[in-house]
PDB file of all heavy atoms in Angstrom:
ATOM      1  N   LYS A1167     105.126  86.268  98.009  1.00  0.00           N
ATOM      2  CA  LYS A1167     104.326  87.493  98.102  1.00  0.00           C
ATOM      3  C   LYS A1167     103.237  87.515  97.042  1.00  0.00           C
ATOM      4  O   LYS A1167     102.094  87.885  97.318  1.00  0.00           O
ATOM      5  CB  LYS A1167     105.231  88.717  97.960  1.00  0.00           C
ATOM      6  CG  LYS A1167     104.507  90.042  98.081  1.00  0.00           C
ATOM      7  CD  LYS A1167     105.490  91.202  97.987  1.00  0.00           C
ATOM      8  CE  LYS A1167     104.769  92.539  98.101  1.00  0.00           C
ATOM      9  NZ  LYS A1167     105.709  93.693  98.033  1.00  0.00           N
ATOM     10  N   ASN A1168     103.570  87.089  95.828  1.00  0.00           N
ATOM     11  CA  ASN A1168     102.585  87.076  94.744  1.00  0.00           C
ATOM     12  C   ASN A1168     101.450  86.101  95.028  1.00  0.00           C
ATOM     13  O   ASN A1168     100.294  86.352  94.663  1.00  0.00           O
ATOM     14  CB  ASN A1168     103.263  86.716  93.421  1.00  0.00           C
ATOM     15  CG  ASN A1168     104.210  87.806  92.942  1.00  0.00           C
ATOM     16  OD1 ASN A1168     104.112  88.968  93.351  1.00  0.00           O
ATOM     17  ND2 ASN A1168     105.150  87.442  92.089  1.00  0.00           N
ATOM     18  N   GLN A1169     101.758  84.985  95.679  1.00  0.00           N
ATOM     19  CA  GLN A1169     100.737  83.989  95.999  1.00  0.00           C
ATOM     20  C   GLN A1169      99.766  84.486  97.063  1.00  0.00           C
ATOM     21  O   GLN A1169      98.623  84.034  97.128  1.00  0.00           O
ATOM     22  CB  GLN A1169     101.387  82.688  96.477  1.00  0.00           C
ATOM     23  CG  GLN A1169     102.001  81.859  95.381  1.00  0.00           C
ATOM     24  CD  GLN A1169     102.483  80.506  95.892  1.00  0.00           C
ATOM     25  OE1 GLN A1169     102.328  80.171  97.070  1.00  0.00           O
ATOM     26  NE2 GLN A1169     103.095  79.732  95.015  1.00  0.00           N
ATOM     27  N   ASN A1170     100.231  85.399  97.919  1.00  0.00           N
ATOM     28  CA  ASN A1170      99.426  85.839  99.057  1.00  0.00           C
ATOM     29  C   ASN A1170      99.118  87.342  99.020  1.00  0.00           C
ATOM     30  O   ASN A1170      98.860  87.941 100.058  1.00  0.00           O
ATOM     31  CB  ASN A1170     100.148  85.501 100.370  1.00  0.00           C
ATOM     32  CG  ASN A1170     100.318  84.017 100.565  1.00  0.00           C
ATOM     33  OD1 ASN A1170      99.426  83.330 101.036  1.00  0.00           O
ATOM     34  ND2 ASN A1170     101.481  83.503 100.191  1.00  0.00           N
ATOM     35  N   LYS A1171      99.146  87.929  97.832  1.00  0.00           N
ATOM     36  CA  LYS A1171      98.957  89.377  97.752  1.00  0.00           C
ATOM     37  C   LYS A1171      97.539  89.813  98.108  1.00  0.00           C
ATOM     38  O   LYS A1171      97.304  90.991  98.366  1.00  0.00           O
ATOM     39  CB  LYS A1171      99.324  89.883  96.359  1.00  0.00           C
ATOM     40  CG  LYS A1171      98.568  89.244  95.215  1.00  0.00           C
ATOM     41  CD  LYS A1171      99.132  89.745  93.895  1.00  0.00           C
ATOM     42  CE  LYS A1171      98.454  89.077  92.700  1.00  0.00           C
ATOM     43  NZ  LYS A1171      99.047  89.540  91.426  1.00  0.00           N
ATOM     44  N   GLN A1172      96.603  88.869  98.151  1.00  0.00           N
ATOM     45  CA  GLN A1172      95.246  89.206  98.566  1.00  0.00           C
ATOM     46  C   GLN A1172      95.089  89.164 100.079  1.00  0.00           C
ATOM     47  O   GLN A1172      94.041  89.542 100.619  1.00  0.00           O
ATOM     48  CB  GLN A1172      94.239  88.220  97.935  1.00  0.00           C
ATOM     49  CG  GLN A1172      94.254  88.205  96.412  1.00  0.00           C
ATOM     50  CD  GLN A1172      93.882  89.546  95.812  1.00  0.00           C
ATOM     51  OE1 GLN A1172      93.105  90.290  96.393  1.00  0.00           O
ATOM     52  NE2 GLN A1172      94.429  89.854  94.646  1.00  0.00           N
ATOM     53  N   LYS A1173      96.145  88.703 100.777  1.00  0.00           N
ATOM     54  CA  LYS A1173      96.088  88.584 102.229  1.00  0.00           C
ATOM     55  C   LYS A1173      96.890  89.711 102.873  1.00  0.00           C
ATOM     56  O   LYS A1173      97.518  90.516 102.207  1.00  0.00           O
ATOM     57  CB  LYS A1173      96.635  87.220 102.672  1.00  0.00           C
ATOM     58  CG  LYS A1173      95.873  86.033 102.108  1.00  0.00           C
ATOM     59  CD  LYS A1173      96.461  84.737 102.590  1.00  0.00           C
ATOM     60  CE  LYS A1173      95.709  83.533 102.022  1.00  0.00           C
ATOM     61  NZ  LYS A1173      96.286  82.253 102.452  1.00  0.00           N
ATOM     62  N   ALA A1174      96.865  89.732 104.212  1.00  0.00           N
ATOM     63  CA  ALA A1174      97.613  90.753 104.940  1.00  0.00           C
ATOM     64  C   ALA A1174      99.116  90.542 104.749  1.00  0.00           C
ATOM     65  O   ALA A1174      99.586  89.453 104.409  1.00  0.00           O
ATOM     66  CB  ALA A1174      97.265  90.688 106.425  1.00  0.00           C
ATOM     67  N   LYS A1175      99.891  91.604 105.008  1.00  0.00           N
ATOM     68  CA  LYS A1175     101.324  91.569 104.741  1.00  0.00           C
ATOM     69  C   LYS A1175     102.060  90.516 105.562  1.00  0.00           C
ATOM     70  O   LYS A1175     103.112  90.031 105.149  1.00  0.00           O
ATOM     71  CB  LYS A1175     101.937  92.943 105.004  1.00  0.00           C
ATOM     72  CG  LYS A1175     101.565  93.982 103.956  1.00  0.00           C
ATOM     73  CD  LYS A1175     102.305  95.287 104.198  1.00  0.00           C
ATOM     74  CE  LYS A1175     101.978  96.294 103.095  1.00  0.00           C
ATOM     75  NZ  LYS A1175     102.695  97.574 103.298  1.00  0.00           N
ATOM     76  N   GLU A1176     101.530  90.160 106.740  1.00  0.00           N
ATOM     77  CA  GLU A1176     102.223  89.172 107.561  1.00  0.00           C
ATOM     78  C   GLU A1176     102.260  87.798 106.912  1.00  0.00           C
ATOM     79  O   GLU A1176     103.028  86.924 107.335  1.00  0.00           O
ATOM     80  CB  GLU A1176     101.585  89.061 108.950  1.00  0.00           C
ATOM     81  CG  GLU A1176     100.098  88.793 108.948  1.00  0.00           C
ATOM     82  CD  GLU A1176      99.293  90.071 109.091  1.00  0.00           C
ATOM     83  OE1 GLU A1176      99.808  91.144 108.706  1.00  0.00           O
ATOM     84  OE2 GLU A1176      98.154  89.999 109.579  1.00  0.00           O
ATOM     85  N   TRP A1177     101.459  87.579 105.851  1.00  0.00           N
ATOM     86  CA  TRP A1177     101.475  86.307 105.131  1.00  0.00           C
ATOM     87  C   TRP A1177     102.618  86.248 104.124  1.00  0.00           C
ATOM     88  O   TRP A1177     102.890  85.197 103.561  1.00  0.00           O
ATOM     89  CB  TRP A1177     100.147  86.088 104.405  1.00  0.00           C
ATOM     90  CG  TRP A1177      99.058  85.612 105.299  1.00  0.00           C
ATOM     91  CD1 TRP A1177      98.256  86.369 106.102  1.00  0.00           C
ATOM     92  CD2 TRP A1177      98.637  84.261 105.515  1.00  0.00           C
ATOM     93  NE1 TRP A1177      97.365  85.583 106.780  1.00  0.00           N
ATOM     94  CE2 TRP A1177      97.577  84.284 106.441  1.00  0.00           C
ATOM     95  CE3 TRP A1177      99.067  83.031 104.996  1.00  0.00           C
ATOM     96  CZ2 TRP A1177      96.934  83.133 106.876  1.00  0.00           C
ATOM     97  CZ3 TRP A1177      98.419  81.884 105.420  1.00  0.00           C
ATOM     98  CH2 TRP A1177      97.375  81.937 106.346  1.00  0.00           C
ATOM     99  N   TYR A1178     103.277  87.373 103.873  1.00  0.00           N
ATOM    100  CA  TYR A1178     104.293  87.412 102.829  1.00  0.00           C
ATOM    101  C   TYR A1178     105.546  86.624 103.196  1.00  0.00           C
ATOM    102  O   TYR A1178     106.195  86.040 102.331  1.00  0.00           O
ATOM    103  CB  TYR A1178     104.684  88.867 102.536  1.00  0.00           C
ATOM    104  CG  TYR A1178     103.598  89.688 101.869  1.00  0.00           C
ATOM    105  CD1 TYR A1178     103.759  91.049 101.653  1.00  0.00           C
ATOM    106  CD2 TYR A1178     102.397  89.108 101.453  1.00  0.00           C
ATOM    107  CE1 TYR A1178     102.769  91.819 101.048  1.00  0.00           C
ATOM    108  CE2 TYR A1178     101.408  89.864 100.859  1.00  0.00           C
ATOM    109  CZ  TYR A1178     101.597  91.211 100.658  1.00  0.00           C
ATOM    110  OH  TYR A1178     100.623  91.956 100.060  1.00  0.00           O
ATOM    111  N   ASN A1179     105.933  86.644 104.480  1.00  0.00           N
ATOM    112  CA  ASN A1179     107.180  86.020 104.900  1.00  0.00           C
ATOM    113  C   ASN A1179     106.983  84.522 105.094  1.00  0.00           C
ATOM    114  O   ASN A1179     106.345  84.080 106.052  1.00  0.00           O
ATOM    115  CB  ASN A1179     107.678  86.662 106.196  1.00  0.00           C
ATOM    116  CG  ASN A1179     109.119  86.270 106.516  1.00  0.00           C
ATOM    117  OD1 ASN A1179     109.607  85.235 106.074  1.00  0.00           O
ATOM    118  ND2 ASN A1179     109.798  87.104 107.273  1.00  0.00           N
ATOM    119  N   MET A1180     107.539  83.733 104.186  1.00  0.00           N
ATOM    120  CA  MET A1180     107.358  82.282 104.253  1.00  0.00           C
ATOM    121  C   MET A1180     108.006  81.681 105.488  1.00  0.00           C
ATOM    122  O   MET A1180     107.562  80.655 106.004  1.00  0.00           O
ATOM    123  CB  MET A1180     107.919  81.628 102.991  1.00  0.00           C
ATOM    124  CG  MET A1180     109.421  81.706 102.841  1.00  0.00           C
ATOM    125  SD  MET A1180     109.993  80.970 101.284  1.00  0.00           S
ATOM    126  CE  MET A1180     109.569  82.239 100.102  1.00  0.00           C
ATOM    127  N   ARG A1181     109.025  82.333 106.025  1.00  0.00           N
ATOM    128  CA  ARG A1181     109.735  81.780 107.175  1.00  0.00           C
ATOM    129  C   ARG A1181     108.916  81.882 108.451  1.00  0.00           C
ATOM    130  O   ARG A1181     109.101  81.094 109.370  1.00  0.00           O
ATOM    131  CB  ARG A1181     111.089  82.486 107.329  1.00  0.00           C
ATOM    132  CG  ARG A1181     111.957  82.339 106.086  1.00  0.00           C
ATOM    133  CD  ARG A1181     113.337  82.908 106.246  1.00  0.00           C
ATOM    134  NE  ARG A1181     114.111  82.747 105.002  1.00  0.00           N
ATOM    135  CZ  ARG A1181     115.434  82.758 104.940  1.00  0.00           C
ATOM    136  NH1 ARG A1181     116.141  82.934 106.034  1.00  0.00           N
ATOM    137  NH2 ARG A1181     116.049  82.605 103.797  1.00  0.00           N
ATOM    138  N   ASP A1182     108.002  82.855 108.505  1.00  0.00           N
ATOM    139  CA  ASP A1182     107.127  82.968 109.669  1.00  0.00           C
ATOM    140  C   ASP A1182     106.143  81.808 109.746  1.00  0.00           C
ATOM    141  O   ASP A1182     105.646  81.477 110.819  1.00  0.00           O
ATOM    142  CB  ASP A1182     106.346  84.295 109.633  1.00  0.00           C
ATOM    143  CG  ASP A1182     107.222  85.482 109.997  1.00  0.00           C
ATOM    144  OD1 ASP A1182     108.309  85.258 110.566  1.00  0.00           O
ATOM    145  OD2 ASP A1182     106.825  86.628 109.715  1.00  0.00           O
ATOM    146  N   PHE A1183     105.851  81.185 108.609  1.00  0.00           N
ATOM    147  CA  PHE A1183     104.875  80.105 108.568  1.00  0.00           C
ATOM    148  C   PHE A1183     105.529  78.744 108.317  1.00  0.00           C
ATOM    149  O   PHE A1183     104.856  77.773 108.009  1.00  0.00           O
ATOM    150  CB  PHE A1183     103.825  80.397 107.489  1.00  0.00           C
ATOM    151  CG  PHE A1183     102.963  81.579 107.813  1.00  0.00           C
ATOM    152  CD1 PHE A1183     103.341  82.857 107.437  1.00  0.00           C
ATOM    153  CD2 PHE A1183     101.789  81.423 108.516  1.00  0.00           C
ATOM    154  CE1 PHE A1183     102.557  83.954 107.740  1.00  0.00           C
ATOM    155  CE2 PHE A1183     100.997  82.518 108.835  1.00  0.00           C
ATOM    156  CZ  PHE A1183     101.382  83.783 108.445  1.00  0.00           C
ATOM    157  N   ALA A1184     106.854  78.700 108.463  1.00  0.00           N
ATOM    158  CA  ALA A1184     107.567  77.438 108.280  1.00  0.00           C
ATOM    159  C   ALA A1184     107.340  76.523 109.474  1.00  0.00           C
ATOM    160  O   ALA A1184     107.111  76.983 110.593  1.00  0.00           O
ATOM    161  CB  ALA A1184     109.059  77.706 108.104  1.00  0.00           C
ATOM    162  N   THR A1185     107.408  75.217 109.237  1.00  0.00           N
ATOM    163  CA  THR A1185     107.300  74.245 110.319  1.00  0.00           C
ATOM    164  C   THR A1185     108.615  74.206 111.101  1.00  0.00           C
ATOM    165  O   THR A1185     109.651  74.655 110.600  1.00  0.00           O
ATOM    166  CB  THR A1185     107.007  72.854 109.760  1.00  0.00           C
ATOM    167  OG1 THR A1185     108.132  72.414 108.968  1.00  0.00           O
ATOM    168  CG2 THR A1185     105.760  72.862 108.882  1.00  0.00           C
ATOM    169  N   PRO A1186     108.596  73.661 112.335  1.00  0.00           N
ATOM    170  CA  PRO A1186     109.853  73.535 113.078  1.00  0.00           C
ATOM    171  C   PRO A1186     110.916  72.752 112.310  1.00  0.00           C
ATOM    172  O   PRO A1186     112.106  73.104 112.359  1.00  0.00           O
ATOM    173  CB  PRO A1186     109.424  72.794 114.352  1.00  0.00           C
ATOM    174  CG  PRO A1186     107.995  73.153 114.529  1.00  0.00           C
ATOM    175  CD  PRO A1186     107.434  73.252 113.141  1.00  0.00           C
ATOM    176  N   GLU A1187     110.483  71.702 111.583  1.00  0.00           N
ATOM    177  CA  GLU A1187     111.445  70.917 110.796  1.00  0.00           C
ATOM    178  C   GLU A1187     112.066  71.764 109.692  1.00  0.00           C
ATOM    179  O   GLU A1187     113.278  71.703 109.444  1.00  0.00           O
ATOM    180  CB  GLU A1187     110.750  69.695 110.184  1.00  0.00           C
ATOM    181  CG  GLU A1187     110.273  68.654 111.189  1.00  0.00           C
ATOM    182  CD  GLU A1187     108.900  68.986 111.750  1.00  0.00           C
ATOM    183  OE1 GLU A1187     108.324  70.018 111.345  1.00  0.00           O
ATOM    184  OE2 GLU A1187     108.409  68.219 112.597  1.00  0.00           O
ATOM    185  N   GLN A1188     111.244  72.554 109.031  1.00  0.00           N
ATOM    186  CA  GLN A1188     111.761  73.415 107.960  1.00  0.00           C
ATOM    187  C   GLN A1188     112.732  74.458 108.502  1.00  0.00           C
ATOM    188  O   GLN A1188     113.738  74.772 107.854  1.00  0.00           O
ATOM    189  CB  GLN A1188     110.601  74.098 107.240  1.00  0.00           C
ATOM    190  CG  GLN A1188     109.781  73.170 106.363  1.00  0.00           C
ATOM    191  CD  GLN A1188     108.560  73.852 105.783  1.00  0.00           C
ATOM    192  OE1 GLN A1188     107.965  74.729 106.420  1.00  0.00           O
ATOM    193  NE2 GLN A1188     108.160  73.452 104.584  1.00  0.00           N
ATOM    194  N   LEU A1189     112.454  74.982 109.697  1.00  0.00           N
ATOM    195  CA  LEU A1189     113.358  75.975 110.281  1.00  0.00           C
ATOM    196  C   LEU A1189     114.709  75.377 110.633  1.00  0.00           C
ATOM    197  O   LEU A1189     115.748  76.017 110.461  1.00  0.00           O
ATOM    198  CB  LEU A1189     112.712  76.600 111.522  1.00  0.00           C
ATOM    199  CG  LEU A1189     111.529  77.533 111.265  1.00  0.00           C
ATOM    200  CD1 LEU A1189     110.917  77.993 112.569  1.00  0.00           C
ATOM    201  CD2 LEU A1189     111.976  78.731 110.442  1.00  0.00           C
ATOM    202  N   VAL A1190     114.692  74.142 111.135  1.00  0.00           N
ATOM    203  CA  VAL A1190     115.958  73.462 111.447  1.00  0.00           C
ATOM    204  C   VAL A1190     116.776  73.281 110.175  1.00  0.00           C
ATOM    205  O   VAL A1190     117.976  73.576 110.135  1.00  0.00           O
ATOM    206  CB  VAL A1190     115.697  72.097 112.116  1.00  0.00           C
ATOM    207  CG1 VAL A1190     116.989  71.291 112.226  1.00  0.00           C
ATOM    208  CG2 VAL A1190     115.097  72.295 113.506  1.00  0.00           C
ATOM    209  N   VAL A1191     116.112  72.803 109.130  1.00  0.00           N
ATOM    210  CA  VAL A1191     116.798  72.592 107.859  1.00  0.00           C
ATOM    211  C   VAL A1191     117.258  73.922 107.277  1.00  0.00           C
ATOM    212  O   VAL A1191     118.361  74.028 106.721  1.00  0.00           O
ATOM    213  CB  VAL A1191     115.883  71.852 106.860  1.00  0.00           C
ATOM    214  CG1 VAL A1191     116.549  71.743 105.491  1.00  0.00           C
ATOM    215  CG2 VAL A1191     115.535  70.465 107.390  1.00  0.00           C
ATOM    216  N   LEU A1192     116.447  74.960 107.427  1.00  0.00           N
ATOM    217  CA  LEU A1192     116.789  76.272 106.893  1.00  0.00           C
ATOM    218  C   LEU A1192     118.087  76.807 107.501  1.00  0.00           C
ATOM    219  O   LEU A1192     118.963  77.309 106.791  1.00  0.00           O
ATOM    220  CB  LEU A1192     115.649  77.248 107.154  1.00  0.00           C
ATOM    221  CG  LEU A1192     115.821  78.662 106.605  1.00  0.00           C
ATOM    222  CD1 LEU A1192     115.854  78.645 105.078  1.00  0.00           C
ATOM    223  CD2 LEU A1192     114.708  79.569 107.104  1.00  0.00           C
ATOM    224  N   THR A1193     118.211  76.693 108.808  1.00  0.00           N
ATOM    225  CA  THR A1193     119.439  77.169 109.445  1.00  0.00           C
ATOM    226  C   THR A1193     120.648  76.354 108.992  1.00  0.00           C
ATOM    227  O   THR A1193     121.744  76.895 108.806  1.00  0.00           O
ATOM    228  CB  THR A1193     119.317  77.100 110.980  1.00  0.00           C
ATOM    229  OG1 THR A1193     119.032  75.756 111.387  1.00  0.00           O
ATOM    230  CG2 THR A1193     118.219  78.019 111.479  1.00  0.00           C
ATOM    231  N   ASN A1194     120.462  75.051 108.798  1.00  0.00           N
ATOM    232  CA  ASN A1194     121.556  74.209 108.307  1.00  0.00           C
ATOM    233  C   ASN A1194     121.956  74.595 106.884  1.00  0.00           C
ATOM    234  O   ASN A1194     123.151  74.593 106.542  1.00  0.00           O
ATOM    235  CB  ASN A1194     121.149  72.734 108.349  1.00  0.00           C
ATOM    236  CG  ASN A1194     120.988  72.216 109.768  1.00  0.00           C
ATOM    237  OD1 ASN A1194     121.519  72.804 110.716  1.00  0.00           O
ATOM    238  ND2 ASN A1194     120.257  71.124 109.925  1.00  0.00           N
ATOM    239  N   LEU A1195     120.951  74.909 106.059  1.00  0.00           N
ATOM    240  CA  LEU A1195     121.239  75.304 104.681  1.00  0.00           C
ATOM    241  C   LEU A1195     122.000  76.629 104.633  1.00  0.00           C
ATOM    242  O   LEU A1195     122.903  76.814 103.806  1.00  0.00           O
ATOM    243  CB  LEU A1195     119.949  75.420 103.875  1.00  0.00           C
ATOM    244  CG  LEU A1195     119.152  74.137 103.629  1.00  0.00           C
ATOM    245  CD1 LEU A1195     117.936  74.431 102.760  1.00  0.00           C
ATOM    246  CD2 LEU A1195     120.006  73.054 103.010  1.00  0.00           C
ATOM    247  N   GLU A1196     121.629  77.549 105.510  1.00  0.00           N
ATOM    248  CA  GLU A1196     122.322  78.841 105.534  1.00  0.00           C
ATOM    249  C   GLU A1196     123.786  78.669 105.915  1.00  0.00           C
ATOM    250  O   GLU A1196     124.674  79.291 105.308  1.00  0.00           O
ATOM    251  CB  GLU A1196     121.620  79.786 106.515  1.00  0.00           C
ATOM    252  CG  GLU A1196     120.275  80.272 106.007  1.00  0.00           C
ATOM    253  CD  GLU A1196     119.501  81.054 107.043  1.00  0.00           C
ATOM    254  OE1 GLU A1196     119.804  80.914 108.248  1.00  0.00           O
ATOM    255  OE2 GLU A1196     118.580  81.811 106.652  1.00  0.00           O
ATOM    256  N   PHE A1197     124.040  77.821 106.896  1.00  0.00           N
ATOM    257  CA  PHE A1197     125.431  77.577 107.281  1.00  0.00           C
ATOM    258  C   PHE A1197     126.186  76.856 106.171  1.00  0.00           C
ATOM    259  O   PHE A1197     127.340  77.183 105.859  1.00  0.00           O
ATOM    260  CB  PHE A1197     125.497  76.747 108.570  1.00  0.00           C
ATOM    261  CG  PHE A1197     126.889  76.496 109.045  1.00  0.00           C
ATOM    262  CD1 PHE A1197     127.600  77.486 109.701  1.00  0.00           C
ATOM    263  CD2 PHE A1197     127.508  75.260 108.833  1.00  0.00           C
ATOM    264  CE1 PHE A1197     128.902  77.257 110.146  1.00  0.00           C
ATOM    265  CE2 PHE A1197     128.802  75.036 109.258  1.00  0.00           C
ATOM    266  CZ  PHE A1197     129.495  76.039 109.912  1.00  0.00           C
ATOM    267  N   LYS A1198     125.519  75.861 105.548  1.00  0.00           N
ATOM    268  CA  LYS A1198     126.150  75.120 104.453  1.00  0.00           C
ATOM    269  C   LYS A1198     126.458  76.047 103.292  1.00  0.00           C
ATOM    270  O   LYS A1198     127.531  75.969 102.676  1.00  0.00           O
ATOM    271  CB  LYS A1198     125.228  73.989 104.000  1.00  0.00           C
ATOM    272  CG  LYS A1198     125.794  73.119 102.871  1.00  0.00           C
ATOM    273  CD  LYS A1198     127.047  72.364 103.324  1.00  0.00           C
ATOM    274  CE  LYS A1198     127.545  71.431 102.241  1.00  0.00           C
ATOM    275  NZ  LYS A1198     128.771  70.702 102.659  1.00  0.00           N
ATOM    276  N   ASN A1199     125.542  76.952 102.979  1.00  0.00           N
ATOM    277  CA  ASN A1199     125.758  77.887 101.878  1.00  0.00           C
ATOM    278  C   ASN A1199     126.942  78.803 102.169  1.00  0.00           C
ATOM    279  O   ASN A1199     127.713  79.143 101.258  1.00  0.00           O
ATOM    280  CB  ASN A1199     124.506  78.723 101.627  1.00  0.00           C
ATOM    281  CG  ASN A1199     124.569  79.484 100.321  1.00  0.00           C
ATOM    282  OD1 ASN A1199     125.068  78.980  99.313  1.00  0.00           O
ATOM    283  ND2 ASN A1199     124.057  80.704 100.322  1.00  0.00           N
TER     284      ASN A1199
END
């Protein structure tokens, strides 16, 4: 959020701008955690 505070609020959520590969890994990390 601090990196993108000059932009619109939709830029705040890093998961909305994640690549498909990052999303796959993200779901695996959540289950692993």
Side-chain angles (χ1 to χ4, degrees):
K1167 182 178 180 179
N1168 292 339
Q1169 285 187 2
N1170 296 276
K1171 57 186 177 182
Q1172 301 298 329
K1173 300 180 180 179
K1175 288 185 177 181
E1176 54 264 26
W1177 281 83
Y1178 291 174
N1179 193 336
M1180 68 182 77
R1181 301 185 181 202
D1182 285 344
F1183 293 89
T1185 65
E1187 293 85 1
Q1188 288 174 327
L1189 289 175
V1190 170
V1191 175
L1192 182 65
T1193 58
N1194 292 340
L1195 294 183
E1196 288 172 340
F1197 182 78
K1198 181 64 176 179
N1199 192 38

